[in-house]
Amino acid sequence: MADNPGARTPRSDDHGSGGADGEPRRALAVALVPQIDELTRRVVADIHAHSGTYASGAPVSRVDLWEICRDNLLRALEDFGGLPSSGGDFEYAARETGRRRAEQNVPLDTVLQAYRRGGRVMWQVMAEHLRATRAGGAGRGQDPVGVGAGDRDTELDMAGAVWETIDRYSLVMAESYRLTQLEMQGRQDTRRVALFEALLDGRGDDPAVAAAASAALGVPVHDRYVVVVAAQDPAAPPNPAPVLDDHGIWSFWRPRSGRYAGIVRLAAGESGVLLDLLRHRTGATAGVSPEFDRLAQAGRALRLAEQALRTLPAGSGEAAALDDRLAEVLLVGRPEIAERIVTTRLGAVLDTAAERDALLSTLRVWLDNGCSAARAAELLYCHRNTVLNRIGRIAELTGRSAESGEARLGWALALRALPLLGADGEPEPMEDYVGQDLQHPPGDEHAGESVDDDRRRRGGRRPALRSSET
């Protein structure tokens, strides 16, 4: 491309305006420049006749097309004839065409076709002029444009020069078009990310923000959505979007505080599909919010998805919906209470090293199957009496009746709390997933203490639990 105003890109066959073929080009260009408006009219009419996009007048109006065609044709004629540019850089019009049509979302192929149509009409007009001048000159024994009646080689050279000029301008236009598209995409991506972050920050309550986010993301303001927060596990892909997209599920994701947060649009019945894909196709450890029907609710949904994620072991590759982890959410928010529930409800069972694993596994299966000894026996591949004996042993160790609803609730909560405790029996700090103090919720007088500070305040006391293998 020419970088300086008035500079003309050299052509391999351009021997200068004084060369054998340079003077006919100059003479032809000088003769046609005064007819630029008529040439423009013919080109615009031809483009309208062969392109429904341009003929519709939207997004390219007739005035817009006229102005851009006139500018391109004038510069092409001046460039072809070696004339000084009347408007600076010869290729400016081509670059401006590419920029403007990209911003108007006119397909590039349509613009290139218009260039070819313009070049065709331009050569038709040149050929008509050459024939007319040859005919007039022959009657007077003269050749005004320097092309003899029998000199077809020079005419063919001029035709080649015309199409070389059109091709070069087409390339310049296409390059400008693609660069503009990249710039527009960058701006759109920046805007999309900013509005996505605004939704997650809770600013979607402003109708203008919600509407702008809806337009930028290309989804309705009202629909079925969930927010997913996925830990950036080394073994899992960093962004679940491609997996979901392969299954026709729309989503938009961005890294956020060491995790990936995404809004996922669901069709009816797709919640289970989403969890299955997260578990088995991405390997990501992820928490999923309850469904919501307005983009404005994304900020609240993010907090709920984070709560679900906190209940999952780091790097486990598990995915869980908040509604399936409500007890764990309550326990993980109060780790000292969770520790106390384990100690008071199952502490004696945990102290029985020889029986511990069998008792805990039996208790879990028994509770999960409606406290049915027969069903638990089937699943554990043992006799029904074995299940009853183990449940009786747990009741004996804990001093609680297996028939008591309160005892069953306490055992169930203790089993849920066990995975939330560290391998050394210490409640797990939750900073792995969320950069905030979860040992002490807002309002706690010890909020802001580190785990070590908390331990020192309690006199170095460690929990009685020794392990959480089960």
Side-chain angles (χ1 to χ4, degrees):
M1 273 182 224
D3 293 323
N4 301 317
R8 181 163 60 95
T9 304
R11 292 193 298 262
S12 59
D13 65 338
D14 188 355
H15 307 297
S17 59
D21 61 347
E23 189 56 40
R25 293 183 194 173
R26 176 183 290 273
L28 184 56
V30 167
L32 292 181
V33 164
Q35 304 176 37
I36 190 64
D37 287 341
E38 174 58 20
L39 176 58
T40 301
R41 183 195 66 77
R42 289 182 60 173
V43 168
V44 169
D46 187 86
I47 291 174
H48 275 182
H50 291 87
S51 172
T53 299
Y54 283 104
S56 69
V60 183
S61 68
R62 188 177 185 88
V63 172
D64 181 3
L65 181 60
W66 173 278
E67 290 176 349
I68 211 77
C69 283
R70 188 182 191 282
D71 206 5
N72 274 277
L73 290 166
L74 178 60
R75 291 168 193 264
L77 279 174
E78 292 171 342
D79 193 5
F80 165 81
L83 306 177
S85 173
S86 59
D89 183 354
F90 278 106
E91 294 171 351
Y92 168 79
R95 290 196 298 273
E96 175 64 12
T97 303
R99 181 196 66 79
R100 193 180 300 182
R101 298 299 175 252
E103 291 179 347
Q104 293 168 328
N105 289 318
V106 179
L108 179 57
D109 286 348
T110 301
V111 187
L112 287 171
Q113 182 187 30
Y115 262 75
R116 289 192 293 271
R117 301 303 308 179
R120 180 175 179 276
V121 172
M122 182 177 174
W123 175 243
Q124 285 178 340
V125 170
M126 287 181 169
E128 291 169 2
H129 184 81
L130 289 173
R131 287 194 294 270
T133 53
R134 278 202 304 269
R140 298 187 299 272
Q142 299 175 345
D143 186 2
V145 295
V147 181
D151 192 356
R152 296 298 181 188
D153 289 342
T154 301
E155 185 173 335
L156 290 174
D157 287 343
M158 293 172 68
V162 169
W163 284 109
E164 179 190 344
T165 302
I166 297 301
D167 287 346
R168 182 158 45 85
Y169 280 33
S170 296
L171 289 173
V172 171
M173 181 279 297
E175 180 182 4
S176 175
Y177 184 102
R178 295 187 182 101
L179 286 174
T180 302
Q181 275 193 323
L182 289 175
E183 292 170 0
M184 290 170 59
Q185 185 63 48
R187 292 194 297 269
Q188 290 170 358
D189 288 346
T190 299
R191 175 176 171 79
R192 190 177 296 117
V193 169
L195 288 166
F196 174 77
E197 293 290 344
L199 289 177
L200 296 188
D201 288 340
R203 286 180 278 155
D205 289 334
D206 182 341
V209 172
S214 169
L217 296 173
V219 292
V221 172
H222 297 275
D223 209 333
R224 297 164 59 96
Y225 297 104
V226 294
V227 167
V228 180
V229 178
Q232 292 185 333
D233 298 332
N239 186 344
V243 171
L244 301 185
D245 188 58
D246 287 345
H247 289 76
I249 298 177
W250 178 91
S251 64
F252 187 86
W253 300 78
R254 289 294 300 171
R256 186 180 174 91
S257 304
R259 300 154 290 148
Y260 258 88
I263 295 178
V264 181
R265 184 184 181 191
L266 297 175
E270 282 188 339
S271 296
V273 175
L274 172 63
L275 285 169
D276 184 66
L277 290 173
L278 291 172
R279 287 171 183 148
H280 303 299
R281 296 296 302 277
T282 72
T285 305
V288 181
S289 77
E291 290 186 17
F292 56 97
D293 60 8
R294 292 187 297 116
L295 285 178
Q297 298 170 318
R300 176 177 177 272
L302 172 70
R303 295 190 294 274
L304 296 176
E306 288 173 338
Q307 293 284 349
L309 177 61
R310 291 175 190 140
T311 70
L312 301 174
S316 65
E318 296 180 23
L322 177 85
D323 289 347
D324 296 330
R325 306 283 292 181
L326 293 175
E328 289 84 352
V329 168
L330 291 174
L331 293 167
V332 81
R334 287 288 188 177
E336 289 183 334
I337 299 300
E339 175 195 344
R340 190 63 188 161
I341 289 174
V342 171
T343 301
T344 59
R345 297 303 189 269
L346 288 179
V349 176
L350 298 174
D351 286 338
T352 60
E355 301 175 273
R356 166 191 171 117
D357 291 346
L359 293 178
L360 289 178
S361 61
T362 300
L363 177 61
R364 182 175 290 110
V365 174
W366 182 69
L367 289 170
D368 287 346
N369 289 273
C371 301
S372 168
R375 180 58 181 154
E378 290 177 12
L379 296 172
L380 293 170
Y381 300 101
C382 65
H383 195 277
R384 175 177 177 277
N385 288 341
T386 301
V387 173
L388 292 174
N389 288 337
R390 289 175 182 173
I391 298 302
R393 177 61 173 155
I394 293 170
E396 177 187 347
L397 288 170
T398 61
R400 299 175 187 277
S401 170
E403 301 301 319
S404 167
E406 182 179 353
R408 293 177 180 182
L409 174 60
W411 291 341
L413 288 174
L415 288 173
R416 282 168 170 75
L418 269 175
L420 307 178
L421 305 180
D424 61 354
E426 187 73 22
E428 287 276 21
M430 292 294 114
E431 296 92 286
D432 288 347
Y433 285 149
V434 181
Q436 59 181 325
D437 178 15
L438 293 175
Q439 299 288 340
H440 304 290
D444 191 306
E445 60 178 321
H446 301 293
E449 284 186 352
S450 69
V451 173
D452 289 338
D453 290 338
D454 181 68
R455 185 177 297 162
R456 283 193 293 270
R457 176 176 56 77
R458 292 184 287 157
R461 177 180 59 80
R462 299 183 63 82
L465 305 182
R466 294 190 302 271
S467 173
S468 60
E469 296 169 0
T470 58

